Amino acid sequence: MLPALLGKLKTKVGEDYMGLNRRQLLRGSLAVGAAALPVGALAAPAYGVVHKPRAQARRAGFNLALLDVANGIITNHHTGDIHTNTKGEKEFGNPWATFRTGKDGAVGWDPLELKVRTLDNGKGEKAFLICGGDSTEGHVTIHRNSDGAPLGWVSGLTNFPHSLEYVPEHEVIIVVGPRGLGQYDPPPRGESEPGGCYEMYAAPTGGSVGPLKKIPIADKDRAFWKAHGVVWDRDKKLVWIYGGNKLRSYKVIGKGEGARLERANIEIVSDLFKNGHDLQPDPLEPEYLWATSSTEILQINKAGGYAFIQWSIPAKSVKSFARDRSGSAAWTADTLGNKYGDDKVRFMWYPDMTGPVTVPAVSGETTKPKVIYKARLLDI
């Protein structure tokens, strides 16, 4: 179905870019009372609530969490609230929920990933997982979806966490980033910047609340040049890690603190992955993964015993891409040269959404112009 749209999309994406030259995240209570200690302390989760989310009635469109690295804030919006402002431009409505990584309104650490997952703890509880920070002080914080209560956290990561994933059945959290262990997975010829690896932690599903327990894994096994994305494949029971110039599959062996990753037999190395950045599942057509590089949005077919790039769409400086189960998709890009993004979200396959949509600053919530690194779905 999708390949037939390729020619049309190449033109459309280029025009949108050049023109610029769930379900609820955290259900009804966005991290209410999520923390009482400084974010930088190892024994403390991130901060949270700014205002109580308003009720979300069922309607056309979908929810997006927008990760603003300039202000250390995540805001939830529904695409049904997008409207035309007085300047004749499309913009998002006010957020219906907000999560801060800083304390008392201060700008905290950079939120670089958010995922909502169902914990395999016998209760069917949903949790939201956030990671980010920088190369010297990375963070992970996990909260129960229903009331925002903290479940687990860790600070002081040095792999510059860019993404994370929860693996049910095996009860682990995998955190990937583009720093560290460069000697074990050196960059290919022509690339000068080394580093990248994953970390593993036991998932907070045993009932206790506190710092996540790190799972010791040999450095040579954890190394992955420029690791940026990680996805649990529920169909194939594989973990996919993506970054640099490759996509690699892993089997998960064991459970909890006894778990480890073992390389599986599916891997793609391609120049199209240059500076591979984002990796997401496709909830509508689960035989596909979606990835981004510096210049492309890529559809990866993993239906058989191997994986291959089915097709790609030129999209300059694209950062994130996510396709909703409706078939529509949202993506972000850096048009400002800051390596993270701008104040826009772009859409594909979305009726009447032909150009970028601005994310306006909201009084009392932001102090700097917004920089949206990722737009994340809340129900995959």
Side-chain angles (χ1 to χ4, degrees):
M1 177 177 76
L2 289 174
L5 298 174
L6 178 57
K8 180 178 179 181
L9 283 169
K10 281 188 175 180
T11 301
K12 185 172 172 48
V13 174
E15 288 173 352
D16 287 352
Y17 180 80
M18 294 305 292
L20 289 174
N21 243 38
R22 157 178 184 252
R23 299 170 202 159
Q24 307 167 8
L25 164 67
L26 328 186
R27 298 279 302 190
S29 248
L30 184 49
V32 176
L37 297 173
V39 175
L42 181 62
Y47 282 82
V49 73
V50 173
H51 61 80
K52 185 176 180 180
R54 65 178 185 267
Q56 292 286 295
R58 296 182 69 86
R59 53 181 170 153
F62 48 90
N63 287 308
L64 285 173
L66 306 182
L67 282 61
D68 176 1
V69 299
N71 295 282
I73 193 169
I74 300 171
T75 55
N76 287 3
H77 303 258
H78 193 279
T79 58
D81 292 329
I82 293 173
H83 58 275
T84 302
N85 62 22
T86 56
K87 298 178 181 178
E89 303 167 337
K90 293 279 190 181
E91 70 175 19
F92 283 89
N94 287 339
W96 55 263
T98 305
F99 184 93
R100 289 185 182 277
T101 62
K103 183 181 179 182
D104 297 331
V107 175
W109 43 271
D110 294 351
L112 301 180
E113 183 62 281
L114 178 143
K115 294 183 178 180
V116 177
R117 296 292 184 260
T118 300
L119 299 180
D120 190 16
N121 60 359
K123 301 177 184 179
E125 287 184 325
K126 289 188 180 296
F128 61 95
L129 298 70
I130 300 171
C131 73
D134 56 35
S135 59
T136 60
E137 185 67 22
H139 303 268
V140 172
T141 186
I142 303 172
H143 299 259
R144 189 164 55 220
N145 220 34
S146 58
D147 59 4
L151 299 175
W153 54 87
V154 63
S155 294
L157 281 76
T158 57
N159 69 338
F160 200 174
H162 272 59
S163 188
L164 78 173
E165 183 62 286
Y166 166 65
V167 183
E169 303 174 29
H170 299 278
E171 296 306 303
V172 294
I173 305 291
I174 301 169
V175 185
V176 303
R179 297 289 187 276
L181 305 184
Q183 69 272 35
Y184 295 106
D185 189 14
R189 182 173 297 179
E191 298 287 347
S192 59
E193 190 173 1
C197 65
Y198 68 84
E199 304 274 10
M200 285 182 64
Y201 298 88
T205 53
S208 60
V209 174
L212 299 175
K213 294 181 179 179
K214 186 175 180 178
I215 300 171
I217 306 289
D219 288 351
K220 63 181 178 61
D221 296 327
R222 294 191 298 113
F224 192 110
W225 181 59
K226 292 291 185 183
H228 269 76
V230 57
V231 164
W232 167 243
D233 188 334
R234 286 171 280 191
D235 294 330
K236 289 186 172 293
K237 304 298 182 184
L238 293 173
V239 167
W240 298 91
I241 296 181
Y242 175 66
N245 66 340
K246 64 179 174 284
L247 172 69
R248 177 183 293 162
S249 63
Y250 294 83
K251 298 177 183 178
V252 187
I253 309 298
K255 186 174 183 178
E257 293 181 61
R260 60 184 173 86
L261 296 187
E262 181 180 281
R263 285 175 63 167
N265 60 356
I266 307 176
E267 180 171 327
I268 307 174
V269 177
S270 173
D271 289 341
L272 284 176
F273 289 158
K274 184 176 177 60
N275 196 28
H277 215 86
D278 194 21
L279 185 69
Q280 287 285 283
D282 188 323
L284 181 63
E285 298 177 286
E287 65 269 31
Y288 299 119
L289 295 170
W290 290 95
T292 68
S293 69
S294 291
T295 59
E296 305 275 345
I297 295 169
L298 305 112
Q299 184 192 39
I300 299 163
N301 189 322
K302 59 177 182 66
Y306 63 99
F308 61 94
I309 299 170
Q310 183 150 311
W311 54 267
S312 62
I313 309 167
K316 186 178 179 182
S317 300
V318 58
K319 292 301 177 181
S320 72
F321 180 92
R323 189 186 186 208
D324 179 59
R325 62 186 71 252
S326 67
S328 299
W331 61 287
T332 60
D334 169 24
T335 64
L336 304 177
N338 59 25
K339 298 184 179 181
Y340 286 98
D342 56 22
D343 64 347
K344 306 286 192 299
V345 176
R346 295 101 178 137
F347 290 89
M348 291 185 193
W349 311 306
Y350 197 113
D352 302 321
M353 208 73 72
T354 57
V357 179
T358 300
V359 186
V362 177
S363 177
E365 290 187 351
T366 57
T367 58
K368 303 176 183 178
K370 298 183 79 66
V371 175
I372 306 302
Y373 179 56
K374 289 177 178 175
R376 283 301 188 229
L377 298 168
L378 304 180
D379 64 347
I380 62 172

